[in-house]
Amino acid sequence: MNRGLSLWLDVLRVAATLVVVLSHIAYARFTRGDYQFMRDLNLGSDAVIVFFVISGFVIAYAAERDKHLPTYTFNRGTRLLSVLLPALLLTFVFDQMGQRIDPGAYPAGYYGALPLWEMLLRGLSFSNEWGAFERVRLGTNGPLWSLSYEAAYYILFGVAFFLSGARRVIILLGLVVLFGPWVLLLMPAWLMGVWLWRKLAAGGAGLLTSTTARMMAWGAPVLYAVCLWIGVPDMLAHLTAEAMAPARYRHVLAFSDEFIWNALIGVFTTMHIFGMARLLQNQTQDNRAVRWWAGASFSIYVTHYPALHLIDAVFPAETLARDALFVVGSIGIGLIFAQIFERRIAGLRSCIRALIGHWGPSGRRPRPHHP
């Protein structure tokens, strides 16, 4: 994980976050349909798959660094929950405020009216999209569906990586039943990130010539654009609909309804990062602005949607000024949120360790030494 590749992953993370935000602002109920092309191209959902590839890459790297399952569990759990818990509370508060101002800003299908205890229970357990439970929307925070998927992938990978033998097989089979098939349908893109890390860690980037690397790095986004232009996502959706008829495939598969197209996006993203890893292998310069924005990308992702609904309720007049407020306000709330929560993860972990005792090399609290 050299500096150049790490920086480029942050660039992709920030870009994907902004695409998700802008694609949600493009909903006609917010901006009159003036930016409908982003909805028609489904760019926000595609950006989430970029997140999945990056996530698989980073988690594979982190697992090798953590070395032990308790350490891996602690680091992954604190990373998710330290941001998710306050995000759920903020969502609940924003939704309650906005509904009192303008209930019409919270239409059916975009708002799940859950009591706070149920929102916290389903959100903090990441079970809002798992197959063994009824699917629920956590207030207006629809984008949290991807965290349910991510948590499942973290758990599956942790079991596969750190355990062995019959115990690993039995636990994995039980988890597959728990998570359900539609969560697993998007896992190939995540596993591509895992494969990419292992390939690069073994020196795979050094096997590429600079010409091949450029073809992969820049050819991948070109292939993606061409696929959008000729309508590949619609073709694949039609094939899926025919294969699952008479069932309504979008209703059955939920957020995994474009799983074939999402796997292709995973391939394109993996190609791009592979090529960039070779091109940036000697990069030593850093960029503080990119790092700063990347340090808030998670926060922006988990807070922007309830912020959009609140802005919609408070400022109902549809104007270009309100369009700008959607952008500045939703991102600004995410930046403030990151300053309070996401950027303080190191301090939070230190406090937790201080409460439960220091972690030893094996990931367990060391036993006292009695001479």
Side-chain angles (χ1 to χ4, degrees):
M1 183 73 79
N2 60 57
R3 180 172 293 178
L5 178 57
S6 173
L7 182 64
W8 189 250
L9 291 178
D10 279 349
V11 170
L12 292 179
R13 188 180 291 115
V14 173
T17 301
L18 294 179
V19 168
V20 169
V21 173
L22 293 176
S23 72
H24 287 153
I25 293 173
Y27 271 116
R29 69 181 191 278
F30 291 140
T31 51
R32 308 163 305 280
D34 290 358
Y35 317 102
Q36 185 62 32
F37 73 93
M38 294 197 70
R39 301 305 316 162
D40 294 338
L41 294 174
N42 209 17
L43 298 181
S45 295
D46 293 354
V48 172
I49 305 305
V50 176
F51 283 134
F52 281 174
V53 176
I54 296 173
S55 173
F57 184 94
V58 172
I59 296 305
Y61 159 75
E64 293 184 7
R65 179 200 61 197
D66 293 340
K67 298 184 184 300
H68 304 281
L69 182 57
T71 305
Y72 172 87
T73 303
F74 176 80
N75 287 337
R76 302 286 68 75
T78 51
R79 168 64 174 162
L80 288 175
L81 295 175
S82 64
V83 172
L84 181 57
L85 173 58
L88 289 169
L89 294 174
L90 179 140
T91 300
F92 185 81
V93 171
F94 276 17
D95 289 352
Q96 295 301 308
M97 292 170 57
Q99 276 202 310
R100 284 171 170 76
I101 297 170
D102 180 9
Y106 295 80
Y110 296 98
Y111 172 61
L114 298 178
L116 179 59
W117 69 267
E118 186 175 359
M119 180 180 288
L120 292 176
L121 176 64
R122 296 301 300 275
L124 296 179
S125 66
F126 302 101
S127 62
N128 47 303
E129 293 292 334
W130 290 354
F133 306 93
E134 181 183 1
R135 295 179 58 243
V136 296
R137 190 179 185 91
L138 302 172
T140 55
N141 214 327
L144 294 185
W145 72 267
S146 67
L147 292 193
S148 184
Y149 281 54
E150 287 249 19
Y153 303 155
Y154 289 4
I155 296 168
L156 288 167
F157 179 77
V159 170
F161 186 84
F162 291 104
L163 301 184
S164 61
R167 181 173 60 162
R168 175 169 64 182
V169 174
I170 292 171
I171 294 176
L172 285 175
L173 289 175
L175 290 173
V176 166
V177 174
L178 175 67
F179 298 144
W182 48 82
V183 172
L184 301 180
L185 284 175
L186 297 192
M187 197 172 185
W190 197 89
L191 290 175
M192 290 176 201
V194 174
W195 174 86
L196 180 59
W197 162 250
R198 294 190 172 180
K199 189 72 174 178
L200 294 180
L207 301 177
L208 299 178
T209 65
S210 59
T211 300
T212 302
R214 288 190 182 91
M215 291 177 62
M216 294 176 67
W218 306 120
V222 170
L223 285 173
Y224 170 73
V226 170
C227 285
L228 290 181
W229 181 55
I230 64 177
V232 170
D234 292 336
M235 297 177 196
L236 295 175
H238 180 70
L239 291 175
T240 305
E242 286 189 336
M244 296 189 63
R248 293 183 300 164
Y249 81 100
R250 292 191 184 276
H251 177 75
V252 174
L253 299 179
F255 290 106
S256 302
D257 59 337
E258 291 189 308
F259 66 96
I260 304 175
W261 169 239
N262 294 159
L264 279 177
I265 296 174
V267 172
F268 298 152
T269 305
T270 302
M271 287 176 54
H272 173 74
I273 297 174
F274 202 165
M276 292 301 296
R278 167 65 175 84
L279 298 177
L280 297 172
Q281 63 181 358
N282 297 320
Q283 173 71 28
T284 58
Q285 295 182 344
D286 212 337
N287 188 304
R288 295 181 63 183
V290 170
R291 300 294 193 189
W292 187 84
W293 277 98
S297 59
F298 189 17
S299 294
I300 294 172
Y301 183 84
V302 299
T303 62
H304 75 277
Y305 215 33
L308 290 177
H309 283 82
L310 180 59
I311 293 171
D312 186 30
V314 175
F315 301 97
E318 296 182 351
T319 63
L320 290 178
R322 190 179 78 149
D323 295 357
L325 181 60
F326 278 132
V327 177
V328 176
S330 61
I331 294 175
I333 287 171
L335 293 175
I336 295 171
F337 184 94
Q339 199 65 32
I340 299 172
F341 299 106
E342 185 175 1
R343 300 189 197 279
R344 300 180 184 274
I345 182 65
L348 174 64
R349 285 172 173 165
S350 296
C351 290
I352 295 175
R353 289 191 181 102
L355 291 174
I356 65 176
H358 295 291
W359 295 87
S362 65
R364 300 176 181 175
R365 184 175 178 176
R367 296 179 180 178
H369 175 68
H370 298 291

